Amino acid sequence: MGWFLLSLLGRALRYKRAFDSEGNRQTDTHTERPHLKILDQNKQLPGFSEHRERNSLAVTMLSKQPIIVESLIMFTIVLCVHSTVWDRFSWCAIALAIQAFYIQFKWDNLLRLGSAVFQFRAGANSGLFPACMAVPLLGIVMKERCQAAGIVYFERFGIIVASTGMIIALFLSVIALGVTKPVPTNTCILSGIAGSLIIYTMKHSLTVSEVIEVLEVLLIFVYLSMILLYLLPRCFTPGEALLVLTGISFVLNQLIKRSLNVTESRGDPIDFFLLVVVVGVVLLGIFFTALFFFMDSGTWISSMFFHMMTAVLGLGVVMPWLYRLIRQNPLFWLSQFLSQTQTRVYLLAYWILLAALACTVVLYQNAKRSSGSKKHQASTITRKYFHFIVVATYVPGLIYDRQLLYVAAVVCLAVFILLEYIRYFTIKPLGHTLRNLLSLFLDERDSGPLILTHIYLLLGMSLPVWLFPRPCASKATLPGAGALAPYSGVLAVGIGDSVASIFGSTVGEIKWPGTKKTFEGTMMGIFAQIIAVAIILIFDSGVDLNASYSWILASISLVSLLEAYTTQVDNLLLPLYLQILLMT
């Protein structure tokens, strides 16, 4: 199977080289300028055209090299997952991976030519290959874990997650093929084969109600894509938009489903808390974006209206919705939950101190910028301070009280998004202040109207906690390497990415071909994560790896290589793939 995939990859690379070289030959023209006459005369020399074609192919190969290596890493991850987890969905996942590899080049070409319908983030490729595979692989490993535990309900939920991820990926493939001119026949045939295989497998795996649920999520995804990508230009790449919008669509569909079937709905109150809060803040943002099309958001009247409507929607919509699901007063439930044990009180006090420390770092760095004689911008090392603060926040929560960490992460996400609304709409009295404070920490990924880096960091640390299949884990943990799955964000983003960036920017000299990342940084990131795993084994008695050390090392190494070559937001992508590999 591996040789088959590599041969297909080689054929695709040769096809892309020939296609790009042909395009270069057709579009390469000279205007009549004196300094180009020598080049025109040289065209008549023997071997000039062949030499020029070789140079064109070399340039094309160098520009495509990071994408090819990233794709090889992704194929390796897919094969590693299905070498352990093999069922009827495995064929679908492999077919989806092959067609996603081809479709990614089509989307890259659309972005390069400016033919995409919406404006996406510049300076990165489409990222569709890693984004298309994340949700299906997560659903497949979740299904296998819950099937082994005998939890049928969540086993079926894993199948729905995998099927929905595949259908949304196929939908994006159809869009890319529909707007590509001329129509790529070979890619259409490949996508048709992959789509037929996926639909055939879904027909024999899903019930009618489950098919309807998959289509509901797809419909929500389509509408949210048209709304959010229009309102927020240059904030996402296609791959990042796929991950974010798929997650929001899933959450919204689950909330609607459970609200309509309260008597039959299953789940912990903290799960309902996550669903209601995420949907509430997203709908709040859409509402105010539409409203401030017709109003000036920077006036005191608009600001007062913003605060008033936020309170009305929170107390009049979100609270009753949550009350209907958990069947008790949400404020009383939350206060009881937070003060249930002495450990939770200590953890909350500790987290408040860390939040104050993070605010102090922000204020101190802005004071340096104000007092400096020249423009001051936060360095990579300074931005990684927040990664270490988040690690210090999450590790005690993962060891002592994961449910409290779950709820605290939801509250923190809501606060971050509300503060971003205040900054984006310049709501008084904090809007201008937040703009000035946060502009210091901008990087090339914050090219749109929103600043999402800190929100992605929080999501990357929290998603492994939120997505961990607690009902399918005996004693709140999974056997073997799966016990480290909730630590995926801490390992991949908090430690691995931070150490790799710091060492790569300070002592790194050997760069990975075609990227700005260094070999020294990647190796130090892997080494730091291995040390972190050893420390977790010492302090967390619930982690029992059962001699699965080689798999853990391979998983960390693959995700670290993906970090070196991907141009997507690594805070969002890396924890998902490390969790997938550890849960396999």
Side-chain angles (χ1 to χ4, degrees), residues 29-340:
T29 58
H30 288 304
T31 57
E32 291 297 329
R33 299 179 183 177
H35 65 279
L36 294 178
K37 289 183 178 180
I38 297 177
L39 292 177
D40 294 333
Q41 293 172 359
N42 286 339
K43 289 181 182 179
Q44 308 299 325
L45 296 177
F48 177 82
S49 60
E50 290 80 1
H51 176 71
R52 185 175 182 180
E53 183 177 350
R54 284 195 299 270
N55 288 339
S56 176
L57 286 173
V59 171
T60 301
M61 184 176 179
L62 287 175
S63 64
K64 293 291 188 292
Q65 188 176 25
I67 304 177
I68 297 298
V69 177
E70 179 191 40
S71 301
L72 284 173
I73 297 170
M74 282 304 308
F75 276 119
T76 305
I77 292 176
V78 172
L79 291 177
C80 286
V81 170
H82 292 291
S83 65
T84 305
V85 180
W86 187 268
D87 59 6
R88 65 175 67 178
F89 282 94
S90 299
W91 291 108
C92 299
I94 292 175
L96 181 66
I98 296 172
Q99 74 93 27
F101 169 74
Y102 278 85
I103 292 299
Q104 177 169 269
F105 285 107
K106 302 303 177 186
W107 269 97
D108 290 343
N109 190 45
L110 291 176
L111 296 178
R112 187 168 56 252
L113 297 176
S115 302
V117 179
F118 301 105
Q119 298 181 51
F120 293 100
R121 179 166 66 86
N125 60 39
S126 63
L128 278 181
F129 190 5
C132 284
M133 299 309 301
V135 177
L137 291 179
L138 181 65
I140 289 172
V141 297
M142 186 183 299
K143 174 186 74 71
E144 289 297 318
R145 286 293 186 176
C146 294
Q147 184 179 20
I151 311 297
V152 179
Y153 178 83
F154 287 97
E155 176 190 350
R156 302 303 303 176
F157 180 73
I159 294 176
I160 293 173
V161 171
S163 302
T164 306
M166 293 179 184
I167 287 298
I168 292 178
L170 286 176
F171 172 75
L172 291 181
S173 302
V174 172
I175 292 179
L177 296 176
V179 298
T180 301
K181 302 298 180 183
V183 177
T185 307
N186 294 335
T187 309
C188 287
I189 294 174
L190 185 61
S191 297
I193 294 173
S196 301
L197 182 60
I198 292 172
I199 293 174
Y200 177 81
T201 303
M202 289 176 55
K203 178 179 180 295
H204 290 82
S205 303
L206 301 178
T207 63
V208 175
S209 61
E210 290 171 344
V211 171
I212 294 175
E213 185 173 352
V214 170
L215 296 178
E216 288 172 351
V217 177
L218 177 61
L219 184 63
I220 296 172
F221 175 85
V222 173
Y223 279 106
L224 283 179
S225 300
M226 292 188 293
I227 295 172
L228 294 183
L229 293 180
Y230 173 76
L231 296 176
L232 304 173
R234 305 180 308 280
C235 286
F236 311 97
T237 64
E240 294 162 2
L242 171 62
L243 285 176
V244 172
L245 294 175
T246 300
I248 296 175
S249 302
F250 249 114
V251 168
L252 180 56
N253 180 71
Q254 286 297 309
L255 181 58
I256 294 173
K257 176 184 175 182
R258 299 188 184 195
S259 300
L260 295 176
N261 299 289
V262 177
T263 57
E264 300 178 4
S265 62
R266 307 181 185 183
D268 197 291
I270 63 175
D271 296 323
F272 296 129
F273 185 68
L274 171 64
L275 297 178
V276 173
V277 169
V278 170
V279 173
V281 294
V282 171
L283 294 180
L284 189 69
I286 295 175
F287 171 76
F288 282 118
T289 302
L291 179 66
F292 289 138
F293 267 137
F294 308 99
M295 297 176 60
D296 182 7
S297 62
T299 64
W300 273 106
I301 295 178
S302 298
S303 300
M304 292 176 62
F305 185 75
F306 174 89
H307 296 303
M308 181 183 67
M309 288 303 300
T310 300
V312 168
L313 291 174
L315 297 176
V317 177
V318 174
M319 289 297 177
W321 205 343
L322 189 56
Y323 177 82
R324 172 178 170 80
L325 292 172
I326 66 176
R327 300 179 184 178
Q328 54 182 312
N329 189 301
L331 295 178
F332 290 160
W333 168 80
L334 186 60
S335 61
Q336 280 184 336
F337 179 85
L338 295 178
S339 59
Q340 191 170 4

Side-chain angles (χ1 to χ4, degrees), residues 268 270 273 333-351 393-394 396-412 462 465-466 470:
D268 197 291
I270 63 175
F273 185 68
W333 168 80
L334 186 60
S335 61
Q336 280 184 336
F337 179 85
L338 295 178
S339 59
Q340 191 170 4
T341 63
Q342 197 72 20
T343 303
R344 291 186 176 178
V345 177
Y346 291 149
L347 280 174
L348 289 173
Y350 170 67
W351 289 341
T393 302
Y394 273 72
L398 288 167
I399 294 175
Y400 295 110
D401 198 329
R402 293 184 182 180
Q403 284 196 327
L404 177 64
L405 180 63
Y406 188 111
V407 173
V410 175
V411 174
C412 192
S462 304
V465 180
W466 294 340
R470 299 188 313 277

